Amino acid sequence: MTEPSLTQARSERRAGHWQPLFERLLALIDDAPAAASPAQPATLDPAIYASPARFEAERARIFRRQPICLGHAAQFAAPGSVLAREILGVPLLIARGADGTVRVFLNVCRHRGAALLEATEQVCTKRSLVCPYHAWTYRLDGTLANLPQRDSFGALDPAAHGLRELPSTVRHGLLFAMLDPAAPATDVAAWLGPVDDDLAALNLGGHHFFRQHAVRRATNWKLVMDAFIEVYHVKRLHSGTIGPYFADGLGVADTPGSHIRYLVARDTTEAIRTLPPQDWSPQVHATLVHLIFPNTIMVYHPDYVSHIGVYPEAADRSLFVHTMLVPEAPKDDKAQAHWARSFDLIDGGVFNAEDLVVCESIQRGLTSGANERLLLGGLEQNLRHFHATVEAALAQEG
């Protein structure tokens, strides 16, 4: 008996992968009033979004202890690709070396601590990394290649003065890193749990980087996460953009570990009733959303993927990084123009002009005294899981 081809094996793995979620979604559509039925009342304290002390605790106990997704490795397609970015006050360098490996370093010279590159939020091409202060030079694998007046440092061991590397892993194309250089490496597959199988079924590792927009907004990071894990607002806030493509308030969720898997009904969902389960697409016949704890959102649009990283900078300020991933590199000008229009619509017309505007509005109102508690309805149950997970992480000792 011959072994199945890789393509066949992948096809068999994906066939019916989404069937249980879709069956639940169809049952919800058939009993739509149940979707809006109230759950046990829940509220949130506005202080969780506004307290500087709370922000510092989250930075220390969540973002320094969990693997943080820094984006898709396809952004660093060629050896020599380098990005300097500050995440939660940690200066990072992400570089693909001559050996093809993507590594994450602290953007700090091992001589006197100067930044090697300015954080410009743009990928550049480098053959080496040179400190602007004294010209200590590092290879893209982090090793120290050269330093002026080396004899003045006596018996300095170059091998002991390479860039400080952070533990990192590329899994399904996503680059995960620990922001603490002393942290142990993390089994990302185990961390992802069932979401790992989802990413494989979606062939996320085979996607291509198209465009990225990084912007700082005056809002707490959790308000942004909240906005992407509930469907209650979609028909209203997005009434002039994407709202008409969605059913009102219909979505089903799983909570694998710390993460959330959320399938939202679209105007195309009913079509699966006449299709075999292996043809049910979580992008074409619904919109799948993953929250990868703590700060990553994946939105699977009909023909591309939005990767969103929300990186806290203060209690009331966050870096919002949106990356468009496409199934294949644009083959011609027509394809390029199509993806550009799609990016402008979702990034400029939806995320930045609607979602983030409301998040900033909420942030401004948090300390007004208008709401002693923030109310969660029956369509906002994912927020309960997310905030409970945040609280559990903060409560961990060590």
Side-chain angles (χ1 to χ4, degrees), residues 170-191:
V170 175
R171 183 76 179 172
H172 304 299
L174 297 177
L175 175 63
F176 293 86
M178 302 292 294
L179 297 183
D180 183 352
T186 299
D187 184 342
V188 172
W191 163 248

PDB file of all heavy atoms in Angstrom, residues 170-191:
ATOM      1  N   VAL A 170       8.803  29.734  15.628  1.00  0.00           N
ATOM      2  CA  VAL A 170       7.867  29.959  14.530  1.00  0.00           C
ATOM      3  C   VAL A 170       6.975  28.735  14.428  1.00  0.00           C
ATOM      4  O   VAL A 170       7.451  27.613  14.253  1.00  0.00           O
ATOM      5  CB  VAL A 170       8.591  30.211  13.192  1.00  0.00           C
ATOM      6  CG1 VAL A 170       7.581  30.327  12.054  1.00  0.00           C
ATOM      7  CG2 VAL A 170       9.436  31.476  13.274  1.00  0.00           C
ATOM      8  N   ARG A 171       5.679  28.952  14.561  1.00  0.00           N
ATOM      9  CA  ARG A 171       4.702  27.859  14.509  1.00  0.00           C
ATOM     10  C   ARG A 171       3.580  28.269  13.581  1.00  0.00           C
ATOM     11  O   ARG A 171       2.938  29.312  13.797  1.00  0.00           O
ATOM     12  CB  ARG A 171       4.163  27.591  15.922  1.00  0.00           C
ATOM     13  CG  ARG A 171       3.175  26.422  16.015  1.00  0.00           C
ATOM     14  CD  ARG A 171       3.862  25.093  15.944  1.00  0.00           C
ATOM     15  NE  ARG A 171       2.917  23.979  16.047  1.00  0.00           N
ATOM     16  CZ  ARG A 171       3.252  22.718  15.857  1.00  0.00           C
ATOM     17  NH1 ARG A 171       4.507  22.401  15.551  1.00  0.00           N
ATOM     18  NH2 ARG A 171       2.359  21.761  15.963  1.00  0.00           N
ATOM     19  N   HIS A 172       3.341  27.483  12.519  1.00  0.00           N
ATOM     20  CA  HIS A 172       2.336  27.809  11.499  1.00  0.00           C
ATOM     21  C   HIS A 172       2.561  29.219  10.948  1.00  0.00           C
ATOM     22  O   HIS A 172       1.611  29.956  10.685  1.00  0.00           O
ATOM     23  CB  HIS A 172       0.920  27.667  12.061  1.00  0.00           C
ATOM     24  CG  HIS A 172       0.636  26.314  12.627  1.00  0.00           C
ATOM     25  ND1 HIS A 172       0.684  25.163  11.858  1.00  0.00           N
ATOM     26  CD2 HIS A 172       0.340  25.924  13.897  1.00  0.00           C
ATOM     27  CE1 HIS A 172       0.400  24.117  12.629  1.00  0.00           C
ATOM     28  NE2 HIS A 172       0.198  24.560  13.859  1.00  0.00           N
ATOM     29  N   GLY A 173       3.820  29.578  10.803  1.00  0.00           N
ATOM     30  CA  GLY A 173       4.178  30.879  10.272  1.00  0.00           C
ATOM     31  C   GLY A 173       4.177  31.989  11.292  1.00  0.00           C
ATOM     32  O   GLY A 173       4.723  33.069  11.030  1.00  0.00           O
ATOM     33  N   LEU A 174       3.583  31.789  12.458  1.00  0.00           N
ATOM     34  CA  LEU A 174       3.512  32.825  13.481  1.00  0.00           C
ATOM     35  C   LEU A 174       4.755  32.786  14.368  1.00  0.00           C
ATOM     36  O   LEU A 174       5.190  31.720  14.799  1.00  0.00           O
ATOM     37  CB  LEU A 174       2.258  32.653  14.342  1.00  0.00           C
ATOM     38  CG  LEU A 174       0.922  32.793  13.609  1.00  0.00           C
ATOM     39  CD1 LEU A 174      -0.233  32.531  14.569  1.00  0.00           C
ATOM     40  CD2 LEU A 174       0.786  34.163  12.967  1.00  0.00           C
ATOM     41  N   LEU A 175       5.291  33.970  14.631  1.00  0.00           N
ATOM     42  CA  LEU A 175       6.495  34.102  15.441  1.00  0.00           C
ATOM     43  C   LEU A 175       6.109  34.413  16.878  1.00  0.00           C
ATOM     44  O   LEU A 175       5.526  35.469  17.157  1.00  0.00           O
ATOM     45  CB  LEU A 175       7.384  35.211  14.873  1.00  0.00           C
ATOM     46  CG  LEU A 175       8.639  35.579  15.671  1.00  0.00           C
ATOM     47  CD1 LEU A 175       9.594  34.396  15.759  1.00  0.00           C
ATOM     48  CD2 LEU A 175       9.327  36.795  15.046  1.00  0.00           C
ATOM     49  N   PHE A 176       6.423  33.496  17.777  1.00  0.00           N
ATOM     50  CA  PHE A 176       6.149  33.676  19.194  1.00  0.00           C
ATOM     51  C   PHE A 176       7.474  33.872  19.933  1.00  0.00           C
ATOM     52  O   PHE A 176       8.470  33.204  19.633  1.00  0.00           O
ATOM     53  CB  PHE A 176       5.446  32.456  19.788  1.00  0.00           C
ATOM     54  CG  PHE A 176       4.048  32.233  19.274  1.00  0.00           C
ATOM     55  CD1 PHE A 176       3.827  31.511  18.106  1.00  0.00           C
ATOM     56  CD2 PHE A 176       2.960  32.750  19.953  1.00  0.00           C
ATOM     57  CE1 PHE A 176       2.545  31.301  17.637  1.00  0.00           C
ATOM     58  CE2 PHE A 176       1.663  32.532  19.489  1.00  0.00           C
ATOM     59  CZ  PHE A 176       1.455  31.822  18.332  1.00  0.00           C
ATOM     60  N   ALA A 177       7.471  34.768  20.921  1.00  0.00           N
ATOM     61  CA  ALA A 177       8.679  34.992  21.707  1.00  0.00           C
ATOM     62  C   ALA A 177       8.309  35.276  23.155  1.00  0.00           C
ATOM     63  O   ALA A 177       7.218  35.781  23.450  1.00  0.00           O
ATOM     64  CB  ALA A 177       9.484  36.162  21.139  1.00  0.00           C
ATOM     65  N   MET A 178       9.237  34.960  24.053  1.00  0.00           N
ATOM     66  CA  MET A 178       9.129  35.376  25.447  1.00  0.00           C
ATOM     67  C   MET A 178       9.889  36.693  25.581  1.00  0.00           C
ATOM     68  O   MET A 178      11.025  36.813  25.096  1.00  0.00           O
ATOM     69  CB  MET A 178       9.733  34.319  26.369  1.00  0.00           C
ATOM     70  CG  MET A 178       9.110  32.941  26.239  1.00  0.00           C
ATOM     71  SD  MET A 178       7.394  32.854  26.814  1.00  0.00           S
ATOM     72  CE  MET A 178       7.602  33.149  28.574  1.00  0.00           C
ATOM     73  N   LEU A 179       9.292  37.674  26.226  1.00  0.00           N
ATOM     74  CA  LEU A 179       9.925  38.984  26.336  1.00  0.00           C
ATOM     75  C   LEU A 179      10.986  39.044  27.428  1.00  0.00           C
ATOM     76  O   LEU A 179      11.688  40.048  27.548  1.00  0.00           O
ATOM     77  CB  LEU A 179       8.864  40.060  26.579  1.00  0.00           C
ATOM     78  CG  LEU A 179       7.842  40.248  25.457  1.00  0.00           C
ATOM     79  CD1 LEU A 179       6.899  41.393  25.781  1.00  0.00           C
ATOM     80  CD2 LEU A 179       8.526  40.469  24.117  1.00  0.00           C
ATOM     81  N   ASP A 180      11.105  37.989  28.190  1.00  0.00           N
ATOM     82  CA  ASP A 180      12.123  37.899  29.233  1.00  0.00           C
ATOM     83  C   ASP A 180      13.242  36.974  28.742  1.00  0.00           C
ATOM     84  O   ASP A 180      12.994  35.793  28.491  1.00  0.00           O
ATOM     85  CB  ASP A 180      11.509  37.351  30.516  1.00  0.00           C
ATOM     86  CG  ASP A 180      12.498  37.286  31.673  1.00  0.00           C
ATOM     87  OD1 ASP A 180      13.700  37.525  31.458  1.00  0.00           O
ATOM     88  OD2 ASP A 180      12.052  36.995  32.806  1.00  0.00           O
ATOM     89  N   PRO A 181      14.482  37.486  28.580  1.00  0.00           N
ATOM     90  CA  PRO A 181      15.554  36.620  28.067  1.00  0.00           C
ATOM     91  C   PRO A 181      15.886  35.454  28.988  1.00  0.00           C
ATOM     92  O   PRO A 181      16.469  34.462  28.551  1.00  0.00           O
ATOM     93  CB  PRO A 181      16.748  37.578  27.932  1.00  0.00           C
ATOM     94  CG  PRO A 181      16.443  38.720  28.835  1.00  0.00           C
ATOM     95  CD  PRO A 181      14.947  38.857  28.848  1.00  0.00           C
ATOM     96  N   ALA A 182      15.513  35.547  30.254  1.00  0.00           N
ATOM     97  CA  ALA A 182      15.792  34.457  31.191  1.00  0.00           C
ATOM     98  C   ALA A 182      14.669  33.430  31.240  1.00  0.00           C
ATOM     99  O   ALA A 182      14.794  32.410  31.921  1.00  0.00           O
ATOM    100  CB  ALA A 182      16.019  35.028  32.594  1.00  0.00           C
ATOM    101  N   ALA A 183      13.602  33.670  30.507  1.00  0.00           N
ATOM    102  CA  ALA A 183      12.466  32.749  30.538  1.00  0.00           C
ATOM    103  C   ALA A 183      12.804  31.456  29.799  1.00  0.00           C
ATOM    104  O   ALA A 183      13.545  31.467  28.818  1.00  0.00           O
ATOM    105  CB  ALA A 183      11.245  33.406  29.907  1.00  0.00           C
ATOM    106  N   PRO A 184      12.271  30.335  30.250  1.00  0.00           N
ATOM    107  CA  PRO A 184      12.490  29.085  29.525  1.00  0.00           C
ATOM    108  C   PRO A 184      11.718  29.071  28.215  1.00  0.00           C
ATOM    109  O   PRO A 184      10.709  29.770  28.068  1.00  0.00           O
ATOM    110  CB  PRO A 184      11.958  28.021  30.490  1.00  0.00           C
ATOM    111  CG  PRO A 184      10.926  28.739  31.304  1.00  0.00           C
ATOM    112  CD  PRO A 184      11.426  30.154  31.449  1.00  0.00           C
ATOM    113  N   ALA A 185      12.188  28.297  27.262  1.00  0.00           N
ATOM    114  CA  ALA A 185      11.472  28.141  25.994  1.00  0.00           C
ATOM    115  C   ALA A 185      10.108  27.503  26.269  1.00  0.00           C
ATOM    116  O   ALA A 185       9.945  26.686  27.179  1.00  0.00           O
ATOM    117  CB  ALA A 185      12.283  27.288  25.040  1.00  0.00           C
ATOM    118  N   THR A 186       9.131  27.893  25.473  1.00  0.00           N
ATOM    119  CA  THR A 186       7.764  27.408  25.657  1.00  0.00           C
ATOM    120  C   THR A 186       7.372  26.470  24.518  1.00  0.00           C
ATOM    121  O   THR A 186       7.729  26.716  23.360  1.00  0.00           O
ATOM    122  CB  THR A 186       6.781  28.592  25.691  1.00  0.00           C
ATOM    123  OG1 THR A 186       7.119  29.430  26.795  1.00  0.00           O
ATOM    124  CG2 THR A 186       5.349  28.124  25.844  1.00  0.00           C
ATOM    125  N   ASP A 187       6.676  25.390  24.846  1.00  0.00           N
ATOM    126  CA  ASP A 187       6.120  24.496  23.833  1.00  0.00           C
ATOM    127  C   ASP A 187       4.884  25.181  23.254  1.00  0.00           C
ATOM    128  O   ASP A 187       3.799  25.104  23.829  1.00  0.00           O
ATOM    129  CB  ASP A 187       5.760  23.153  24.468  1.00  0.00           C
ATOM    130  CG  ASP A 187       5.254  22.135  23.451  1.00  0.00           C
ATOM    131  OD1 ASP A 187       4.849  22.540  22.337  1.00  0.00           O
ATOM    132  OD2 ASP A 187       5.240  20.942  23.782  1.00  0.00           O
ATOM    133  N   VAL A 188       5.064  25.880  22.134  1.00  0.00           N
ATOM    134  CA  VAL A 188       3.983  26.695  21.579  1.00  0.00           C
ATOM    135  C   VAL A 188       2.817  25.827  21.125  1.00  0.00           C
ATOM    136  O   VAL A 188       1.659  26.210  21.273  1.00  0.00           O
ATOM    137  CB  VAL A 188       4.511  27.586  20.437  1.00  0.00           C
ATOM    138  CG1 VAL A 188       3.368  28.292  19.723  1.00  0.00           C
ATOM    139  CG2 VAL A 188       5.490  28.617  20.990  1.00  0.00           C
ATOM    140  N   ALA A 189       3.096  24.649  20.579  1.00  0.00           N
ATOM    141  CA  ALA A 189       2.011  23.765  20.151  1.00  0.00           C
ATOM    142  C   ALA A 189       1.126  23.396  21.339  1.00  0.00           C
ATOM    143  O   ALA A 189      -0.110  23.405  21.249  1.00  0.00           O
ATOM    144  CB  ALA A 189       2.570  22.518  19.484  1.00  0.00           C
ATOM    145  N   ALA A 190       1.750  23.081  22.458  1.00  0.00           N
ATOM    146  CA  ALA A 190       0.979  22.757  23.663  1.00  0.00           C
ATOM    147  C   ALA A 190       0.247  23.987  24.182  1.00  0.00           C
ATOM    148  O   ALA A 190      -0.896  23.888  24.645  1.00  0.00           O
ATOM    149  CB  ALA A 190       1.905  22.187  24.738  1.00  0.00           C
ATOM    150  N   TRP A 191       0.883  25.137  24.082  1.00  0.00           N
ATOM    151  CA  TRP A 191       0.263  26.387  24.521  1.00  0.00           C
ATOM    152  C   TRP A 191      -0.986  26.686  23.700  1.00  0.00           C
ATOM    153  O   TRP A 191      -2.012  27.100  24.232  1.00  0.00           O
ATOM    154  CB  TRP A 191       1.278  27.511  24.407  1.00  0.00           C
ATOM    155  CG  TRP A 191       0.733  28.901  24.439  1.00  0.00           C
ATOM    156  CD1 TRP A 191       0.700  29.805  23.418  1.00  0.00           C
ATOM    157  CD2 TRP A 191       0.152  29.576  25.560  1.00  0.00           C
ATOM    158  NE1 TRP A 191       0.121  30.976  23.811  1.00  0.00           N
ATOM    159  CE2 TRP A 191      -0.228  30.873  25.125  1.00  0.00           C
ATOM    160  CE3 TRP A 191      -0.113  29.208  26.876  1.00  0.00           C
ATOM    161  CZ2 TRP A 191      -0.842  31.797  25.973  1.00  0.00           C
ATOM    162  CZ3 TRP A 191      -0.727  30.136  27.721  1.00  0.00           C
ATOM    163  CH2 TRP A 191      -1.066  31.410  27.265  1.00  0.00           C
TER     164      TRP A 191
END
